[in-house]
Amino acid sequence: MIKGDKTPGPIGVFDSGYGGLTILQQLRKRLPQYDFLYLGDNARAPYGPRSFDVVYQFTREAVLKLFDMGCKLVILGCNTASAKALRTIQQNDIPLVDPERRVLGVIRPTVEVIGNITKTRHVGLVATEGTVRSESYTLEIKKFFPDIKVTGQACPLWAAIVEAGEAETEGAEYFVRKRINQLLEKDSEIDTILLGCTHYPLLMNALRKSVPEGIKIVPQGEYVAASLEDYLSRHKEMDERCSKNGEISYYTTENPERFKECAAMFLHEDVNVKRVEL
């Protein structure tokens, strides 16, 4: 990485595993002219149960790797990394590494629109244990909408179900229904459920069967994509540092063949992927 390098490069998208592919999918749909580089730290996934310090360390290593690979802008397409590492990286690392580079997360773009969606001002959050425990969504929502009550529900098996290719099974429906019922038992006035994990859109069929009619289900991808488009329109200097050839590259810290299988589930297309070390 060269500090102050203004050569255009791809937009980096990082996740601990495969869930960030749902964010990438929406980014590509919204911004097809841009180049993207996806990095999955699959060898050390999941991040959800890990401590703040470990998640920060792993995320920092991934961000620096993406910078080394030419990215001037990195999206943390991972709720756990956004919750536990983003602020520290933005405040402590970026000023030292290269003040002209940027790292953005997936929490704020979703939070900013939630006030326009809920009518009862009671919002449910389904996410990993780490994201729920961090209270990042609750704190961010309170900043923008102090009147909204947020109720969190940890769903520890959901991401594993998706990665095992079991999202459309009766087993998936059972575990989704169980957690949704637990959430609604905590607050019966919830009219909006925020999917606070990037894996969860693949459980949408099970969610629609489990969530009562009239309650909105809010995935993140489209809001993150819209927010990035707005960001680039407002920051022309960063937009100029993002290359635009419509190309995409995939990297994993684990077995490339395993990544290809899972990526096909998330993206419904075959991808070429290379292995890297952090």
Side-chain angles (χ1 to χ4, degrees):
M1 184 191 71
I2 303 173
K3 191 173 182 178
D5 175 27
K6 292 182 170 58
T7 308
I11 297 171
V13 180
F14 167 69
D15 186 25
S16 58
Y18 304 101
L21 292 169
T22 63
I23 300 295
L24 175 66
Q25 190 174 39
Q26 295 299 321
L27 292 174
R28 290 171 63 192
K29 189 180 296 185
R30 188 105 185 189
L31 302 163
Q33 71 274 34
Y34 288 80
D35 296 336
F36 292 97
L37 193 162
Y38 185 90
L39 171 59
D41 187 14
N42 307 89
R44 301 189 292 194
Y47 279 16
R50 297 185 184 273
S51 69
F52 273 76
D53 288 343
V54 170
V55 171
Y56 162 65
Q57 176 191 330
F58 287 179
T59 304
R60 182 180 183 276
E61 290 171 0
V63 167
L64 293 179
K65 183 67 173 181
L66 286 165
F67 284 171
D68 279 335
M69 298 170 86
C71 300
K72 309 302 187 294
L73 173 64
V74 172
I75 309 297
L76 300 185
C78 172
N79 282 275
T80 303
S82 295
K84 295 184 176 182
L86 176 62
R87 186 164 296 175
T88 306
I89 288 173
Q90 288 175 330
Q91 294 178 350
N92 296 355
D93 294 306
I94 296 298
L96 297 175
V97 173
D98 187 341
E100 295 184 347
R101 306 206 188 202
R102 292 289 179 270
V103 181
L104 306 175
V106 292
I107 293 176
R108 175 163 282 196
T110 320
V111 163
E112 289 175 344
V113 301
I114 208 72
N116 301 324
I117 299 172
T118 176
K119 297 293 186 288
T120 65
R121 318 309 277 176
H122 288 251
V123 171
L125 169 71
V126 288
T128 65
E129 185 177 349
T131 298
V132 172
R133 190 180 294 169
S134 75
E135 295 194 337
S136 294
Y137 273 96
T138 303
L139 295 170
E140 283 293 321
I141 288 173
K142 290 295 180 188
K143 285 181 193 173
F144 289 93
F145 310 105
D147 62 319
I148 290 180
K149 178 185 177 183
V150 182
T151 302
Q153 176 62 53
C155 306
L157 289 176
W158 286 17
I161 288 169
V162 170
E163 293 199 3
E166 300 290 325
E168 300 294 337
T169 64
E170 290 183 7
E173 289 181 21
Y174 168 81
F175 285 108
V176 168
R177 185 167 55 251
K178 178 180 180 181
R179 298 305 181 190
I180 293 298
N181 288 345
Q182 288 175 340
L183 174 67
L184 297 178
E185 283 170 11
K186 294 177 184 176
D187 184 356
S188 61
E189 294 185 61
I190 287 171
D191 73 342
T192 304
I193 295 178
L194 177 56
L195 305 187
C197 174
T198 51
H199 284 72
Y200 296 176
L202 273 75
L203 291 166
M204 192 60 78
N205 288 336
L207 282 160
R208 289 197 178 109
K209 291 178 181 178
S210 303
V211 173
E213 195 172 339
I215 297 179
K216 300 178 186 70
I217 304 170
V218 181
Q220 298 173 289
E222 61 189 270
Y223 300 108
V224 173
S227 178
L228 179 58
E229 183 178 46
D230 177 65
Y231 178 87
L232 292 172
S233 71
R234 290 185 291 106
H235 297 83
K236 297 297 184 186
E237 74 289 348
M238 180 55 70
D239 184 64
E240 291 172 1
R241 291 180 205 141
C242 296
S243 54
K244 302 174 183 69
N245 303 299
E247 297 176 352
I248 182 158
S249 305
Y250 298 90
Y251 294 86
T252 177
T253 57
E254 242 294 358
N255 183 335
E257 290 305 314
R258 166 68 176 150
F259 185 96
K260 286 175 71 172
E261 289 176 15
C262 282
M265 276 194 303
F266 281 80
L267 301 174
H268 307 293
E269 64 180 77
D270 292 328
V271 303
N272 292 316
V273 58
K274 297 178 182 176
R275 186 177 180 276
V276 294
E277 292 188 6
L278 301 182

